[in-house]
Every structure is written in structure tokens, then in C-alpha cells.
């Protein structure tokens, strides 16, 4: 009998021994109290010390600002006038996800951005600061548009989870404070100062009594540029997604720091703005500026074609320079279609009037329509080219839409696509297209000092 083959099975003693799994302790925002509270019957649960309310930007519009006010068991000493404000962004400033995901997966998926955060905030309160949280939360929907046909349950769940998370954060801090969440692109959204106005009203801080010299806003949206130097995770440091937090601090006139600067003591990084107000001081609005355009009528009857992005200042230019010269305005925002614009222009020309085509007219194909119409009437066509940067146009659009005193035609904020679409289609006008001449206009603020106080803040 042939000898049997040796067994292929290893003895237990010969098997490789794997190292034991290392248990990693993950810092979580879920406390023992929260766990115990989960199993407590609803009737026996303590009342949530965070009281939630909603605010509207106008009396006739739905609420878009969510406010949670936390009142600890020990009442605040009202005799202490807190005029120094320490305001903070929420995500990526005070907290981050415990899961490591970009967005929280639940109302309990959070932990402190750094272990020093809660103690630092309590120190500020002890030093006489009013501590508040101001956060842009465009992912939340408080009220649905009547035309909305999508699923509502998931949106309602996000609001509930946000409240759960904030209530836990505030309870952990246990300070008399509030969280403000701007859910729409309106006056409440940073860098606009709507939330700041609300917090001053809520805490009875009269306008002009804020200690702006010692107040501060801390947030991660500082417009910091990308850096090749490696960050804490070993990768190059990416640029900030926006500059809204830095611009918000500028608008309210207080100091700004990033979380890294405030909590970790790091040195400031280089930052850049797409649109910088320092390049457009009010002095530019005074007469005699070299950028002033002396528009003169050179023909008894003609057509003037505007070319430039939305918010470039075309309509303002018309009212200031062309209307006094007798030009009739044709505007697609008002007439709603190009065909109606062409018809309106034709009627004005038939009556012997000069016309100004106050549209974007981004490309040669669009401009050809007007060149051909001018030829049919045997008149010259001139072009006014508005060379306003897109970032500045977006600023102008927001200023106009959110300030009734500067918005006589009640225009709404334009979507981002309106600006990117123009940029994609835009071809600089050329005289060979059939123009008598092309007048180039560089933007400058043309308004009163009172109007500049509104315009001269960051709005985007």
C-alpha cells in the first residue's frame, strides 16, 4: 500500500497569527445623556432647552431663516451688557462630521472641529462676549413652493436632523446662545448682513452699540488660495470654496479669522477675492473721472446696441445718457422675447424715433438681427460695449434685486447660469459687423453717497 500523502492542513500551532484589531476611538457628538434620553418615554423626557422659530425676509414671503435659541437652566445675568460679539460659522468651524464624510449622514454625525472648541467658546462667554452661530444652510428647505412636485419627506428629514444636531451642540456648550441658519439666497445669507441684524435685535443690542473693535467672526470661507504646502492629511492645501465669511465680517465691520487661526494659532494664509470693493471706492463716482463716457448723439436718427453681461450697468447707462437724448428703450427683460423686442424697435423706427437695444447681445448672430433691421430703415447702428467683469456683474445683480430703492423694475436675482451662459456665448463686437463705431465702457459706480452705502458692501 502506497504511503499516504502528507496532510495539506496546517496544524493550529503552525498557522500565522494575525495581530489583534486595533480599536480606534472616534470622537463623537453623541453623549451618554443623549443615549439615555433616546430610551426614555416621550412623556418623561425633559423639555428641549432649544426653542426653534422661523423668520421671513419680508412680511409677504415664506420664512427662510431658522433660529434656535438655547436657554440653560441657570438664567443669564441680565445686568451684564454683552456688547462684544463672537460669531462663528458652524460646519468646518465649530464641528465636522464624525463619519469623515463631507456631509453629515444623520443628526448625530458630528464631533467638535477641534477638542479646544467648546472650552474656548465658554472662555469667551466668561470674558463678556455674546457667543452666536451664523450658518448658511442652502440645503435646507423650510417651506415648499406651491409648484414644487418633488419628494418632500427627505427635505423635511434634513431639517429635523439639522435641528437635532444643533440642539446637541448647544446643549453640550450649555451657554445662553442662538444658532441662525440661512436657508435661501436672500438677505439672510452671508455675506449679507440679515442674520447679524436679527441677532442684534434678539439680544437687545442697539445699532451702534456693538463693540466692533473687539468683536470677531470666525469661519472657514475666507477666500484662501490653494497652497502646495501639505496640510494635516499630507495633501496639498486646497483653496476655500468661497470668501463669504471674510466678506461678511467686512460688511459688519469686525475682525475676521479662520478656524485654524482662531483655535490653533496658525498664521494667516494668502487670500484673494473674485471681486474687491477696494477697487471701487466712492471717489470714483465723482464727476471728472477718466472713466466717464461722453456719449454724444451723432445722427438725427439711429440705433444704439448695447453689448454686455447681465448686471453690467446697461440700463443705468441708458437712463443717465441716452434717455435725455431722446432714445426709446427696448429691453427683453420687460418684453420677455426677442421677437417682441424686434417688433417694438420697428414700431419706434417707423415713428421716426431713435432706439437703444438694452439687451446682452453676446454674439455676432444676435447682433446681426439688429444690424439688418437698421439697414432696412437706412440708419446707422452704433455699439456700446460694457466691459464689466462677471464677478462685478453678479454683485450688481444682487444689489439691485435685494434693495427696493435701487430696483425700480422689481427684478429678481438671476441664476448663475445667466452669467456663465453669457460668458460662453460672448464674442467681442467688431466694427466689421456693421457698426458705425464701438464705444467701450468700463464700469464705475454712478450714484449717490447714500446709494453707495448699500452698493459698497459684499452681496455675493
Amino acid at each position: 500500500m502506497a504511503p499516504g500523502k502528507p496532510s495539506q492542513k496546517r496544524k493550529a500551532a503552525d498557522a500565522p497569527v494575525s495581530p489583534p484589531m486595533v480599536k480606534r476611538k472616534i470622537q463623537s457628538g453623541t453623549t451618554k445623556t443623549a443615549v439615555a434620553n433616546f430610551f426614555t418615554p416621550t412623556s418623561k423626557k425633559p423639555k428641549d432647552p432649544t426653542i426653534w422659530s422661523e423668520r421671513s425676509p419680508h412680511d409677504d414671503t415664506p420664512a427662510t431663516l431658522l433660529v434656535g435659541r438655547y436657554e440653560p437652566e441657570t438664567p443669564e445675568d441680565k445686568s451684564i451688557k454683552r456688547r462684544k460679539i463672537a460669531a462663528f460659522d458652524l460646519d468646518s468651524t465649530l464641528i465636522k462630521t464624525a463619519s469623515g464624510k463631507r456631509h453629515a449622514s444623520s443628526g448625530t454625525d458630528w464631533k467638535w472641529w477641534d477638542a479646544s472648541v467648546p472650552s474656548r467658546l465658554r472662555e469667551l462667554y466668561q470674558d463678556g462676549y455674546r457667543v452666536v452661530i451664523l450658518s448658511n444652510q442652502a440645503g435646507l428647505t423650510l417651506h415648499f413652493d406651491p409648484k414644487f412636485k418633488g419628494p418632500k419627506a427627505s427635505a423635511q428629514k434634513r431639517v429635523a436632523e439639522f435641528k437635532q444636531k444643533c440642539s446637541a451642540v448647544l446643549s453640550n456648550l450649555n451657554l445662553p446662545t442662538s444658532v441662525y441658519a440661512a436657508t435661501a439666497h436672500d438677505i439672510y445669507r452671508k455675506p449679507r448682513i440679515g442674520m447679524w441684524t436679527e441677532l442684534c435685535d434678539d439680544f437687545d443690542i442697539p445699532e451702534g452699540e456693538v463693540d466692533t473693535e473687539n468683536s470677531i467672526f470666525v469661519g472657514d470661507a475666507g477666500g484662501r488660495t490653494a497652497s502646495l504646502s501639505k496640510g494635516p492629511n499630507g495633501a496639498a492645501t486646497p483653496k476655500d470654496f468661497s470668501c463669504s465669511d471674510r466678506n461678511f465680517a467686512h460688511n459688519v465691520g469686525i475682525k475676521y479669522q479662520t478656524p485654524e487661526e482662531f483655535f490653533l494659532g496658525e498664521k494667516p494664509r494668502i487670500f484673494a477675492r473674485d471681486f474687491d470693493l477696494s477697487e471701487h471706492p466712492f471717489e470714483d463716482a465723482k464727476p471728472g473721472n477718466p472713466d466717464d463716457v461722453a456719449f454724444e448723439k451723432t445722427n438725427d436718427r439711429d440705433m444704439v446696441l448695447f453689448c454686455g453681461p447681465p448686471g453690467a450697468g446697461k440700463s443705468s447707462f441708458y437712463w443717465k445718457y441716452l434717455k435725455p437724448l431722446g432714445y426709446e428703450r427696448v429691453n427683453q427683460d420687460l418684453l420677455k422675447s426677442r421677437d417682441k423686442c424686434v417688433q417694438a424697435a420697428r414700431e419706434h423706427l417707423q415713428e421716426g424715433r431713435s432706439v437703444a437695444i438694452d439687451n446682452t447681445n453676446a454674439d455676432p448672430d444676435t447682433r446681426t438681427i439688429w444690424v439688418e433691421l437698421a439697414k432696412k430703415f437706412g440708419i446707422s447702428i452704433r455699439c456700446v460695449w460694457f466691459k464689466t467683469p462677471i464677478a462685478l456683474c453678479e454683485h450688481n445683480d444682487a444689489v439691485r434685486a435685494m434693495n427696493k430703492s435701487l430696483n425700480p423694475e422689481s427684478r429678481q436675482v438671476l441664476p448663475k447660469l445667466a452669467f456663465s451662459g453669457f460668458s460662453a456665448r460672448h464674442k467681442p463686437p467688431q466694427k466689421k459687423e456693421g457698426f458705425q463705431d464701438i464705444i467701450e465702457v468700463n464700469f464705475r459706480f454712478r450714484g449717490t453717497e447714500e446709494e453707495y452705502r448699500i452698493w459698497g458692501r459684499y452681496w455675493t
Side-chain angles (χ1 to χ4, degrees), residues 220-247:
D220 63 310
R224 292 169 290 183
T225 58
S227 172
L228 293 177
S229 59
K230 294 184 177 180
N233 59 357
T237 307
K239 71 175 185 178
D240 287 344
F241 66 93
S242 98
C243 197
S244 59
D245 288 337
R246 187 184 300 273
N247 291 346

Side-chain angles (χ1 to χ4, degrees), residues 62 141 143-152:
T141 302
H143 299 278
F144 295 96
D145 187 285
K147 298 179 182 178
F148 181 81
K149 296 182 179 180
K152 297 181 180 180

Side-chain angles (χ1 to χ4, degrees), residues 148-179:
F148 181 81
K149 296 182 179 180
K152 297 181 180 180
S154 59
Q156 293 167 336
K157 181 183 177 184
R158 282 195 295 272
V159 174
E161 290 179 343
F162 178 79
K163 288 182 177 180
Q164 178 188 7
K165 177 173 66 177
C166 289
S167 293
V169 170
L170 298 181
S171 294
N172 197 305
L173 284 175
N174 197 32
L175 297 174
T177 186
S178 292
V179 56

Side-chain angles (χ1 to χ4, degrees), residues 87-318:
F88 296 84
D89 189 19
L90 180 63
D91 300 308
S92 301
T93 297
L94 296 183
I95 63 172
K96 57 186 176 182
T97 62
S99 63
K101 297 178 180 178
R102 183 177 180 183
H103 300 291
S105 57
S106 69
T108 59
D109 184 15
W110 72 275
K111 63 179 180 179
W112 293 112
W113 182 82
D114 184 76
S116 65
V117 169
S119 59
R120 187 70 189 278
L121 267 57
R122 295 186 189 109
E123 288 174 5
L124 288 168
Y125 183 77
Q126 292 300 320
D127 289 341
Y129 279 85
R130 172 64 64 197
V131 179
V132 293
I133 302 171
L134 309 176
S135 178
N136 287 345
Q137 294 289 334
L140 302 181
T141 302
L142 300 183
H143 299 278
F144 295 96
D145 187 285
K147 298 179 182 178
F148 181 81
K149 296 182 179 180
K152 297 181 180 180
S154 59
Q156 293 167 336
K157 181 183 177 184
R158 282 195 295 272
V159 174
E161 290 179 343
F162 178 79
K163 288 182 177 180
Q164 178 188 7
K165 177 173 66 177
C166 289
S167 293
V169 170
L170 298 181
S171 294
N172 197 305
L173 284 175
N174 197 32
L175 297 174
T177 186
S178 292
V179 56
Y180 297 80
T183 66
H185 292 264
D186 55 20
I187 60 171
Y188 294 127
R189 184 175 177 82
K190 294 175 297 183
R192 300 152 202 164
I193 62 173
M195 287 194 287
W196 180 265
T197 301
E198 294 290 332
L199 82 86
C200 288
D201 288 343
D202 290 346
F203 291 103
D204 297 321
I205 306 176
E207 183 179 357
E209 288 193 17
V210 176
D211 183 353
T212 54
E213 185 176 346
N214 291 298
S215 295
I216 188 171
F217 183 74
V218 180
D220 63 310
R224 292 169 290 183
T225 58
S227 172
L228 293 177
S229 59
K230 294 184 177 180
N233 59 357
T237 307
K239 71 175 185 178
D240 287 344
F241 66 93
S242 98
C243 197
S244 59
D245 288 337
R246 187 184 300 273
N247 291 346
F248 171 81
H250 172 93
N251 284 346
V252 297
I254 62 177
K255 181 181 179 181
Y256 166 78
Q257 283 189 319
T258 65
E260 290 82 1
E261 294 164 18
F262 185 81
F263 292 112
L264 307 181
E266 293 185 5
K267 293 181 179 180
R269 278 170 46 196
I270 297 173
F271 73 93
R273 291 182 168 106
D274 292 333
F275 163 63
D276 197 331
L277 280 169
S278 66
E279 298 174 1
H280 302 276
F282 179 68
E283 285 71 24
D284 282 355
K286 295 178 180 178
N289 187 283
D291 285 336
D292 270 339
V293 176
F295 184 90
E296 296 180 355
K297 192 169 185 178
T298 58
N299 307 294
D300 291 336
R301 185 169 63 113
D302 60 12
M303 179 186 296
V304 174
L305 185 76
F306 289 172
C307 173
K314 299 185 297 296
S315 296
S316 297
F317 188 89
Y318 165 79

